[in-house]
mmCIF file of all heavy atoms in Angstrom:
data_model
loop_
_atom_site.group_PDB
_atom_site.id
_atom_site.type_symbol
_atom_site.label_atom_id
_atom_site.label_comp_id
_atom_site.label_asym_id
_atom_site.label_seq_id
_atom_site.Cartn_x
_atom_site.Cartn_y
_atom_site.Cartn_z
ATOM 1 N N VAL A 1 0.758 57.081 14.661
ATOM 2 C CA VAL A 1 1.370 57.963 15.661
ATOM 3 C C VAL A 1 2.497 58.689 14.914
ATOM 4 O O VAL A 1 3.290 57.998 14.375
ATOM 5 C CB VAL A 1 1.920 57.249 16.920
ATOM 6 C CG1 VAL A 1 2.578 58.212 17.835
ATOM 7 C CG2 VAL A 1 0.795 56.468 17.614
ATOM 8 N N SER A 2 2.497 60.022 15.039
ATOM 9 C CA SER A 2 3.586 60.854 14.387
ATOM 10 C C SER A 2 4.206 61.708 15.316
ATOM 11 O O SER A 2 3.584 62.263 16.283
ATOM 12 C CB SER A 2 3.047 61.532 13.205
ATOM 13 O OG SER A 2 2.555 60.683 12.185
ATOM 14 N N GLU A 3 5.469 61.996 15.157
ATOM 15 C CA GLU A 3 6.248 62.967 15.949
ATOM 16 C C GLU A 3 7.072 63.916 15.145
ATOM 17 O O GLU A 3 7.693 63.426 14.143
ATOM 18 C CB GLU A 3 7.174 62.177 16.887
ATOM 19 C CG GLU A 3 7.994 62.960 17.891
ATOM 20 C CD GLU A 3 8.929 62.097 18.689
ATOM 21 O OE1 GLU A 3 8.777 60.769 18.628
ATOM 22 O OE2 GLU A 3 9.763 62.668 19.390
ATOM 23 N N LEU A 4 7.080 65.198 15.394
ATOM 24 C CA LEU A 4 7.887 66.126 14.720
ATOM 25 C C LEU A 4 8.787 66.846 15.785
ATOM 26 O O LEU A 4 8.313 67.382 16.750
ATOM 27 C CB LEU A 4 6.899 67.198 14.033
ATOM 28 C CG LEU A 4 7.618 68.162 13.169
ATOM 29 C CD1 LEU A 4 8.249 67.605 11.925
ATOM 30 C CD2 LEU A 4 6.612 69.244 12.707
ATOM 31 N N ALA A 5 10.020 66.908 15.441
ATOM 32 C CA ALA A 5 11.001 67.490 16.405
ATOM 33 C C ALA A 5 11.947 68.471 15.687
ATOM 34 O O ALA A 5 12.306 68.294 14.508
ATOM 35 C CB ALA A 5 11.946 66.368 16.938
ATOM 36 N N GLY A 6 12.253 69.598 16.405
ATOM 37 C CA GLY A 6 13.302 70.554 15.966
ATOM 38 C C GLY A 6 12.914 71.391 14.737
ATOM 39 O O GLY A 6 13.789 72.020 14.148
ATOM 40 N N VAL A 7 11.664 71.563 14.345
ATOM 41 C CA VAL A 7 11.268 72.342 13.212
ATOM 42 C C VAL A 7 10.648 73.621 13.737
ATOM 43 O O VAL A 7 9.830 73.534 14.659
ATOM 44 C CB VAL A 7 10.312 71.552 12.342
ATOM 45 C CG1 VAL A 7 9.841 72.475 11.210
ATOM 46 C CG2 VAL A 7 10.891 70.317 11.839
ATOM 47 N N GLY A 8 11.084 74.756 13.206
ATOM 48 C CA GLY A 8 10.509 76.011 13.481
ATOM 49 C C GLY A 8 10.725 76.358 14.936
ATOM 50 O O GLY A 8 11.870 76.327 15.422
ATOM 51 N N PRO A 9 9.663 76.796 15.634
ATOM 52 C CA PRO A 9 9.783 77.149 16.991
ATOM 53 C C PRO A 9 10.139 76.021 18.038
ATOM 54 O O PRO A 9 10.219 76.228 19.164
ATOM 55 C CB PRO A 9 8.480 77.785 17.350
ATOM 56 C CG PRO A 9 7.469 77.092 16.354
ATOM 57 C CD PRO A 9 8.220 76.874 15.176
ATOM 58 N N LEU A 10 10.059 74.728 17.565
ATOM 59 C CA LEU A 10 10.311 73.574 18.432
ATOM 60 C C LEU A 10 11.714 73.570 18.996
ATOM 61 O O LEU A 10 11.932 73.001 20.010
ATOM 62 C CB LEU A 10 9.996 72.280 17.695
ATOM 63 C CG LEU A 10 8.590 72.085 17.229
ATOM 64 C CD1 LEU A 10 8.365 70.786 16.462
ATOM 65 C CD2 LEU A 10 7.564 72.060 18.433
ATOM 66 N N GLN A 11 12.626 74.138 18.237
ATOM 67 C CA GLN A 11 14.098 74.179 18.737
ATOM 68 C C GLN A 11 14.639 72.886 19.007
ATOM 69 O O GLN A 11 14.293 71.860 18.423
ATOM 70 C CB GLN A 11 14.120 75.194 19.921
ATOM 71 C CG GLN A 11 13.720 76.582 19.701
ATOM 72 C CD GLN A 11 14.423 77.325 18.637
ATOM 73 O OE1 GLN A 11 15.659 77.204 18.573
ATOM 74 N NE2 GLN A 11 13.739 78.058 17.742
ATOM 75 N N GLY A 12 15.663 72.808 19.948
ATOM 76 C CA GLY A 12 16.214 71.558 20.330
ATOM 77 C C GLY A 12 17.491 71.353 19.598
ATOM 78 O O GLY A 12 17.988 72.168 18.806
ATOM 79 N N ASP A 13 18.102 70.096 19.688
ATOM 80 C CA ASP A 13 19.319 69.782 19.030
ATOM 81 C C ASP A 13 19.178 68.634 18.002
ATOM 82 O O ASP A 13 20.165 68.043 17.558
ATOM 83 C CB ASP A 13 20.448 69.402 20.082
ATOM 84 C CG ASP A 13 20.022 68.320 20.946
ATOM 85 O OD1 ASP A 13 18.876 67.881 20.846
ATOM 86 O OD2 ASP A 13 20.833 67.878 21.797
ATOM 87 N N VAL A 14 17.900 68.207 17.775
ATOM 88 C CA VAL A 14 17.686 67.177 16.745
ATOM 89 C C VAL A 14 16.483 67.642 15.945
ATOM 90 O O VAL A 14 15.662 68.455 16.492
ATOM 91 C CB VAL A 14 17.391 65.782 17.348
ATOM 92 C CG1 VAL A 14 18.549 65.151 18.012
ATOM 93 C CG2 VAL A 14 16.278 65.767 18.270
ATOM 94 N N ALA A 15 16.348 67.180 14.710
ATOM 95 C CA ALA A 15 15.237 67.573 13.859
ATOM 96 C C ALA A 15 14.794 66.308 12.999
ATOM 97 O O ALA A 15 15.688 65.793 12.344
ATOM 98 C CB ALA A 15 15.531 68.768 13.058
ATOM 99 N N PHE A 16 13.573 65.827 13.134
ATOM 100 C CA PHE A 16 13.176 64.675 12.362
ATOM 101 C C PHE A 16 11.675 64.649 12.350
ATOM 102 O O PHE A 16 10.943 65.197 13.164
ATOM 103 C CB PHE A 16 13.753 63.376 12.938
ATOM 104 C CG PHE A 16 13.332 63.128 14.428
ATOM 105 C CD1 PHE A 16 12.147 62.585 14.742
ATOM 106 C CD2 PHE A 16 14.235 63.414 15.426
ATOM 107 C CE1 PHE A 16 11.786 62.322 16.039
ATOM 108 C CE2 PHE A 16 13.903 63.183 16.708
ATOM 109 C CZ PHE A 16 12.635 62.618 17.052
ATOM 110 N N PHE A 17 11.174 63.780 11.383
ATOM 111 C CA PHE A 17 9.818 63.550 11.302
ATOM 112 C C PHE A 17 9.714 62.021 11.477
ATOM 113 O O PHE A 17 10.410 61.185 10.790
ATOM 114 C CB PHE A 17 9.024 63.874 10.041
ATOM 115 C CG PHE A 17 7.676 63.326 9.856
ATOM 116 C CD1 PHE A 17 6.676 63.798 10.542
ATOM 117 C CD2 PHE A 17 7.461 62.153 8.967
ATOM 118 C CE1 PHE A 17 5.368 63.291 10.380
ATOM 119 C CE2 PHE A 17 6.124 61.721 8.778
ATOM 120 C CZ PHE A 17 5.085 62.264 9.533
ATOM 121 N N LYS A 18 8.959 61.466 12.493
ATOM 122 C CA LYS A 18 8.855 60.053 12.801
ATOM 123 C C LYS A 18 7.457 59.616 12.911
ATOM 124 O O LYS A 18 6.628 60.306 13.528
ATOM 125 C CB LYS A 18 9.542 59.855 14.289
ATOM 126 C CG LYS A 18 9.654 58.444 14.684
ATOM 127 C CD LYS A 18 10.276 58.344 16.057
ATOM 128 C CE LYS A 18 10.440 56.893 16.547
ATOM 129 N NZ LYS A 18 11.121 56.810 17.857
ATOM 130 N N SER A 19 7.168 58.503 12.136
ATOM 131 C CA SER A 19 5.768 58.110 12.032
ATOM 132 C C SER A 19 5.652 56.560 12.047
ATOM 133 O O SER A 19 6.492 55.933 11.563
ATOM 134 C CB SER A 19 5.133 58.675 10.734
ATOM 135 O OG SER A 19 3.745 58.344 10.645
ATOM 136 N N GLU A 20 4.643 56.142 12.735
ATOM 137 C CA GLU A 20 4.376 54.648 12.705
ATOM 138 C C GLU A 20 2.879 54.395 12.427
ATOM 139 O O GLU A 20 1.965 55.245 12.806
ATOM 140 C CB GLU A 20 4.663 54.107 14.219
ATOM 141 C CG GLU A 20 6.112 53.996 14.548
ATOM 142 C CD GLU A 20 6.232 53.308 15.826
ATOM 143 O OE1 GLU A 20 6.303 52.091 15.971
ATOM 144 O OE2 GLU A 20 6.292 54.028 16.955
ATOM 145 N N ALA A 21 2.597 53.354 11.772
ATOM 146 C CA ALA A 21 1.285 52.989 11.463
ATOM 147 C C ALA A 21 1.091 51.498 11.847
ATOM 148 O O ALA A 21 1.963 50.675 11.649
ATOM 149 C CB ALA A 21 1.006 53.222 9.969
ATOM 150 N N GLU A 22 -0.173 51.165 12.292
ATOM 151 C CA GLU A 22 -0.390 49.770 12.704
ATOM 152 C C GLU A 22 -1.849 49.429 12.353
ATOM 153 O O GLU A 22 -2.760 50.222 12.453
ATOM 154 C CB GLU A 22 -0.310 49.653 14.257
ATOM 155 C CG GLU A 22 -0.580 48.260 14.816
ATOM 156 C CD GLU A 22 -0.419 48.163 16.241
ATOM 157 O OE1 GLU A 22 -0.054 49.223 16.854
ATOM 158 O OE2 GLU A 22 -0.593 47.125 16.881
ATOM 159 N N SER A 23 -1.973 48.200 11.968
ATOM 160 C CA SER A 23 -3.367 47.717 11.549
ATOM 161 C C SER A 23 -3.461 46.261 12.157
ATOM 162 O O SER A 23 -2.570 45.502 12.025
ATOM 163 C CB SER A 23 -3.472 47.662 10.075
ATOM 164 O OG SER A 23 -4.659 47.095 9.653
ATOM 165 N N GLN A 24 -4.575 45.992 12.746
ATOM 166 C CA GLN A 24 -4.888 44.655 13.362
ATOM 167 C C GLN A 24 -6.337 44.264 12.968
ATOM 168 O O GLN A 24 -7.182 45.099 12.861
ATOM 169 C CB GLN A 24 -4.622 44.674 14.803
ATOM 170 C CG GLN A 24 -3.188 44.815 15.266
ATOM 171 C CD GLN A 24 -2.929 44.534 16.751
ATOM 172 O OE1 GLN A 24 -3.857 44.552 17.521
ATOM 173 N NE2 GLN A 24 -1.740 44.188 17.066
ATOM 174 N N ILE A 25 -6.445 42.948 12.998
ATOM 175 C CA ILE A 25 -7.831 42.355 12.669
ATOM 176 C C ILE A 25 -7.922 41.090 13.439
ATOM 177 O O ILE A 25 -6.960 40.428 13.761
ATOM 178 C CB ILE A 25 -7.946 42.127 11.162
ATOM 179 C CG1 ILE A 25 -9.470 41.729 10.937
ATOM 180 C CG2 ILE A 25 -7.016 41.080 10.676
ATOM 181 C CD1 ILE A 25 -9.799 41.669 9.437
ATOM 182 N N ALA A 26 -9.190 40.876 13.958
ATOM 183 C CA ALA A 26 -9.474 39.639 14.705
ATOM 184 C C ALA A 26 -10.675 39.063 14.091
ATOM 185 O O ALA A 26 -11.810 39.677 13.920
ATOM 186 C CB ALA A 26 -9.799 39.961 16.232
ATOM 187 N N LEU A 27 -10.603 37.760 13.651
ATOM 188 C CA LEU A 27 -11.666 36.979 12.978
ATOM 189 C C LEU A 27 -12.143 35.840 13.874
ATOM 190 O O LEU A 27 -11.409 34.792 13.915
ATOM 191 C CB LEU A 27 -11.231 36.545 11.605
ATOM 192 C CG LEU A 27 -10.811 37.728 10.631
ATOM 193 C CD1 LEU A 27 -10.209 36.985 9.347
ATOM 194 C CD2 LEU A 27 -11.908 38.571 10.284
ATOM 195 N N PRO A 28 -13.253 35.942 14.483
ATOM 196 C CA PRO A 28 -13.792 34.842 15.329
ATOM 197 C C PRO A 28 -14.413 33.786 14.367
ATOM 198 O O PRO A 28 -15.045 34.082 13.397
ATOM 199 C CB PRO A 28 -14.840 35.444 16.170
ATOM 200 C CG PRO A 28 -15.346 36.638 15.370
ATOM 201 C CD PRO A 28 -14.135 37.175 14.610
ATOM 202 N N PHE A 29 -14.283 32.449 14.779
ATOM 203 C CA PHE A 29 -14.868 31.365 14.018
ATOM 204 C C PHE A 29 -16.204 31.017 14.781
ATOM 205 O O PHE A 29 -16.226 30.150 15.633
ATOM 206 C CB PHE A 29 -13.923 30.228 13.987
ATOM 207 C CG PHE A 29 -12.738 30.417 13.101
ATOM 208 C CD1 PHE A 29 -11.642 31.096 13.513
ATOM 209 C CD2 PHE A 29 -12.804 29.988 11.758
ATOM 210 C CE1 PHE A 29 -10.573 31.277 12.661
ATOM 211 C CE2 PHE A 29 -11.747 30.216 10.880
ATOM 212 C CZ PHE A 29 -10.590 30.828 11.371
ATOM 213 N N GLY A 30 -17.254 31.721 14.441
ATOM 214 C CA GLY A 30 -18.544 31.443 14.943
ATOM 215 C C GLY A 30 -18.481 31.675 16.491
ATOM 216 O O GLY A 30 -17.929 32.595 16.991
ATOM 217 N N ASN A 31 -19.121 30.681 17.226
ATOM 218 C CA ASN A 31 -19.186 30.732 18.698
ATOM 219 C C ASN A 31 -18.325 29.666 19.334
ATOM 220 O O ASN A 31 -18.570 29.232 20.388
ATOM 221 C CB ASN A 31 -20.702 30.560 19.164
ATOM 222 C CG ASN A 31 -20.896 31.036 20.611
ATOM 223 O OD1 ASN A 31 -20.242 31.951 21.068
ATOM 224 N ND2 ASN A 31 -21.829 30.335 21.179
ATOM 225 N N THR A 32 -17.223 29.333 18.634
ATOM 226 C CA THR A 32 -16.385 28.242 19.099
ATOM 227 C C THR A 32 -15.313 28.717 20.111
ATOM 228 O O THR A 32 -14.696 27.865 20.747
ATOM 229 C CB THR A 32 -15.717 27.696 17.820
ATOM 230 O OG1 THR A 32 -14.839 28.586 17.248
ATOM 231 C CG2 THR A 32 -16.756 27.098 16.924
ATOM 232 N N GLY A 33 -15.139 30.025 20.139
ATOM 233 C CA GLY A 33 -14.024 30.595 21.063
ATOM 234 C C GLY A 33 -12.747 30.594 20.310
ATOM 235 O O GLY A 33 -11.647 30.925 20.934
#
């Protein structure tokens, strides 16, 4: 997810680039639950 504020025509009173990245994995052990 990325956010861009205050650059060019965006105007405002703050300017920044904000970005987040997330990775998840789920590993089941057979049919044991």
